[in-house]
Amino acid sequence: PYLVAEIDVLGRCFAIAECPEIGNATYVVDNTVAAGTWEELMRLSKADARSLGARRIIHPKEEGHLFKIVRCINSLLTIKVS
């Protein structure tokens, strides 16, 4: 089971899904660009969820996990020009 927090950043909705079990990752879903809602993506296998837009953040053993989540959301907000 995942605990999910939805946050709004600059008008975009992000879901942060955290599993309280040891050894699991945190997933961040940008509902604006993902191919489905976080509810739909988190019902899939983790590989399928990632292929549809969920971002996995591996839990570190050291402190700084919250910073990794913030950095992931910031990277999704950054406009990339090619």
Side-chain angles (χ1 to χ4, degrees):
Y2 279 84
L3 305 172
V4 180
E6 288 184 292
I7 61 171
D8 182 280
V9 179
L10 300 174
R12 289 170 66 179
C13 181
F14 292 89
I16 302 166
E18 174 66 46
C19 181
E21 297 175 8
I22 294 174
N24 287 291
T26 300
Y27 285 85
V28 176
V29 178
D30 179 351
N31 285 329
T32 306
V33 298
T37 65
W38 68 262
E39 294 100 332
E40 295 166 334
L41 269 60
M42 296 311 295
R43 286 189 191 114
L44 304 171
S45 72
K46 301 311 168 227
D48 287 344
R50 287 191 306 272
S51 73
L52 295 173
R55 297 274 185 104
R56 176 177 63 180
I57 302 173
I58 303 296
H59 286 228
K61 292 185 180 180
E62 73 281 354
E63 291 186 27
H65 187 59
L66 178 60
F67 177 72
K68 289 175 92 174
I69 293 170
V70 170
R71 191 172 51 202
C72 177
I73 291 171
N74 281 336
S75 74
L76 291 168
L77 289 171
T78 303
I79 299 172
K80 296 176 178 64
V81 179
S82 54

